[in-house]
Amino acid sequence: ELSLKEYEELIIANPNIQTYLENYINLLIFTKKMDIAEEQIEILKQRFPESVSIKDFSKKLQDYKQSIEKKSSSEAPSETPSAFSEN
């Protein structure tokens, strides 16, 4: 959390330093703060459209969302009757 706060302060003080924003996004992804990461990726796209990191960050975000969807669908109750059900 302290590192996140430090990067937030660095970005506010130095909004034109691409590396700070990219490192902040990396840290957000690492700490699974994907909603904030998604917002920051959009800012990165606007401020630094030539950033080679955009594609990588977007892929990581997409992979994370897909893993959450798979996990939630695998935890959903099955529609097929169980061999032990009273049907």
Side-chain angles (χ1 to χ4, degrees):
E1 291 293 318
L2 181 60
S3 295
L4 288 170
K5 184 72 174 158
E6 289 174 358
Y7 270 109
E8 290 166 2
E9 291 171 4
L10 281 171
I11 292 167
I12 289 169
N14 307 284
N16 294 321
I17 298 182
Q18 181 176 342
T19 304
Y20 291 164
L21 184 54
E22 290 173 343
N23 289 344
Y24 180 56
I25 294 168
N26 248 336
L27 191 55
L28 290 167
I29 291 171
F30 181 75
T31 57
K32 307 233 184 303
K33 297 183 184 305
M34 296 304 189
D35 291 339
I36 302 170
E38 190 168 19
E39 293 169 6
Q40 295 302 310
I41 292 168
E42 289 305 313
I43 292 170
L44 181 66
K45 288 177 183 178
Q46 292 169 5
R47 287 189 193 162
F48 309 102
E50 74 289 347
S51 171
V52 295
S53 298
I54 292 171
K55 187 175 181 178
D56 182 49
F57 291 146
S58 297
K59 173 92 171 87
K60 287 179 182 178
L61 187 63
Q62 181 182 10
D63 290 349
Y64 179 79
K65 286 180 178 182
Q66 288 176 345
S67 73
I68 294 299
E69 289 172 8
K70 284 181 183 178
K71 185 176 180 181
S72 65
S73 68
S74 69
E75 291 175 356
S78 175
E79 296 295 324
T80 56
S82 166
F84 300 105
S85 68
E86 297 179 18
N87 291 348

